[in-house]
């Protein structure tokens, strides 16, 4: 089995490598290719990756290349984890929206739109080259904004599934609180990527006992604290929202906070410098503790599980993924990309039935889905007016003067990445 990781020079990659090494019985990888145009980073990451495999006794071969076509040739699955424009572009995404009094964030709001505009054309080019080389390969997308990018891939006819680590993070957290194994926890996870709610937490599988009321009663303060929301909000909602919902439920509070501290991108850039120095140490043969602060917790387990199921291995029968709606949520178009529990196998992901969704959540999903429609149109066809329309549709913008100001800033900060600008 051959896998390729596009964006393999990311400081995330050792987390992924550690998962491949530990879970080799689930996903027996014979060759793993790390693909990245930044050869200096790639060699540091690749060296550590080989040492991790060697320490854990993994027999697979790890290679590195900046040649995308060579790297994906013959791959059974290609994982996408790229960041167009790097941390510098992310820093822009997190700062210029604040000038208009809007959240600056890399996947939500105006910053998320900027990332989508930069990313979608690049990902589609990569996917076409994968299809030419190996039309049977699965594409697993971890590149943000996952929902929009996955929809672009599916709309272009690619064999693609989107993946996020929010659900597996909740699964592990709740399992610890309940004193059970993570595999015993099944989430009724519903929404769009980075706009999701845990409506039930079931023990043993899709039909198991719902213990969410017990979790909220016994651990509500802790859960709310992790989400940086008042516990009373969770009591009133009766569900657990993802931490991205804070950008909607406490928008103005978040904007005030963001204006008083360095951007997350600046923090991550400093962390990456430290990590790359560590990766260059020939004595290091495991992922360093600092990587846990980088983000992407449990990404490796989720990625291995998904790849194993898609490739006919021993992955979990049910996993939270991003895929076409196809009637699962009747208030959204069939070709919307939703994030829900799905039965995953070699033929792809089939969403499980979802109980009727409270209008409080369904309305926001429908609004953001409309924005994502317009965002994808802007990413595929370009043009200032399409960018403006997408921003005007976003529930965190919604005013023409704000949308105009944000449009001008978005284009100014991303001109080098937008062919039409």
């Amino acid at each position: 089995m051959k896998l390729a990781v596009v964006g393999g020079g990311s400081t995330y990659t050792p987390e992924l490598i550690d998962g491949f090494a530990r879970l080799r019985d689930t996903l027996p990888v014979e060759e793993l290719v790390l693909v990245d145009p930044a050869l200096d980073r790639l060699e540091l990451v690749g060296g550590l990756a080989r040492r991790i495999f060697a320490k854990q006794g993994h027999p697979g071969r790890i290679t590195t290349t900046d040649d995308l076509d060579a790297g994906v040739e013959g791959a059974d699955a290609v994982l996408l984890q790229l960041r167009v424009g790097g941390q510098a572009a992310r820093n822009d995404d997190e700062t210029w929206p604040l000038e208009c009094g809007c959240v600056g964030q890399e996947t939500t709001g105006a910053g998320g739109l900027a990332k989508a505009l930069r990313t979608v054309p690049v990902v589609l080019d990569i996917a076409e080259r994968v299809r030419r080389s190996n039309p049977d390969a699965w594409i697993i997308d971890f590149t943000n904004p996952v929902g929009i990018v996955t929809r672009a891939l599916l709309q272009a006819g690619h064999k693609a599934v989107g993946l996020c680590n929010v659900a597996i993070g909740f699964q592990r957290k709740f399992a610890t609180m309940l004193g059970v194994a993570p595999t015993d926890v099944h989430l009724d996870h519903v929404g769009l990527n980075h706009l999701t709610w845990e409506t039930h937490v079931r023990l043993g599988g899709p039909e198991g006992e719902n213990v969410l009321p017990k979790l909220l009663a016994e651990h509500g303060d802790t859960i709310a604290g992790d989400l940086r929301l008042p516990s009373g909000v969770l009591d009133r909602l009766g569900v657990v929202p993802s931490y991205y919902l804070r950008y909607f439920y406490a928008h103005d509070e978040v904007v005030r906070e963001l204006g008083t501290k360095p951007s997350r991108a600046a923090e991550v850039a400093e962390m990456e410098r430290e990590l790359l120095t560590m990766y260059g140490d020939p004595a290091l043969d495991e992922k360093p503790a600092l990587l846990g602060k980088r983000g992407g917790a449990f990404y490796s387990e989720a990625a291995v599980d998904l790849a194993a199921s898609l490739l006919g291995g021993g992955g979990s029968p049910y996993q939270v993924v991003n895929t076409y709606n196809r009637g699962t949520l009747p208030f959204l178009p069939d070709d919307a990309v939703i994030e829900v529990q799905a039965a995953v196998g070699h033929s792809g992901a089939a969403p499980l039935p979802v109980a009727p969704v409270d209008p409080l959540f369904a309305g926001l999903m429908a609004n953001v889905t409309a924005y994502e429609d317009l965002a994808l149109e802007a990413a595929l066809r370009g043009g200032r007016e399409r960018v403006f329309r997408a921003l005007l549709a976003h529930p965190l913008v919604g005013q023409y003067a704000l949308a105009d100001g944000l449009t001008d800033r978005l284009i100014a900060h991303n001109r080098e990445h937008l062919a039409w600008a």
Side-chain angles (χ1 to χ4, degrees), residues 38-103:
L39 283 173
D40 51 344
R41 294 170 59 107
L42 186 60
E43 289 312 309
L44 292 173
V45 173
L48 175 56
R50 295 184 190 99
R51 295 192 296 273
I52 291 173
F53 262 33
K55 181 180 182 180
Q56 300 197 30
H58 195 297
R61 182 166 64 101
I62 294 178
T63 59
T64 59
T65 182
D66 63 346
D67 185 333
L68 175 68
D69 296 314
V72 302
E73 185 176 1
D76 296 287
V78 177
L79 282 72
L80 304 182
Q81 57 171 34
L82 58 146
R83 182 182 294 280
V84 179
Q87 292 298 330
R90 176 181 180 175
N91 186 70
D92 284 346
D93 295 343
E94 293 176 342
T95 51
W96 55 260
L98 296 175
E99 297 170 6
C100 296
C102 294
V103 159

Side-chain angles (χ1 to χ4, degrees), residues 2 14 17 26 56 69 84 86 104 162 164 167 237 242 244 341 345 374:
K2 175 180 176 179
I17 299 299
T26 301
Q56 300 197 30
D69 296 314
V84 179
C164 180
L237 295 177
S242 86
Y244 287 93
Q341 286 278 4
L374 295 167

Side-chain angles (χ1 to χ4, degrees), residues 71 270 417:
E270 177 56 36
H417 300 291

Side-chain angles (χ1 to χ4, degrees), residues 16 23 36 65 94 96 124 177 199 206 212 217 229 268 281 329 336:
L16 185 62
L23 302 171
D36 203 294
T65 182
E94 293 176 342
W96 55 260
L124 289 178
M177 291 174 171
T199 60
L212 180 57
L229 288 170
V268 170
D281 179 357
L329 300 178

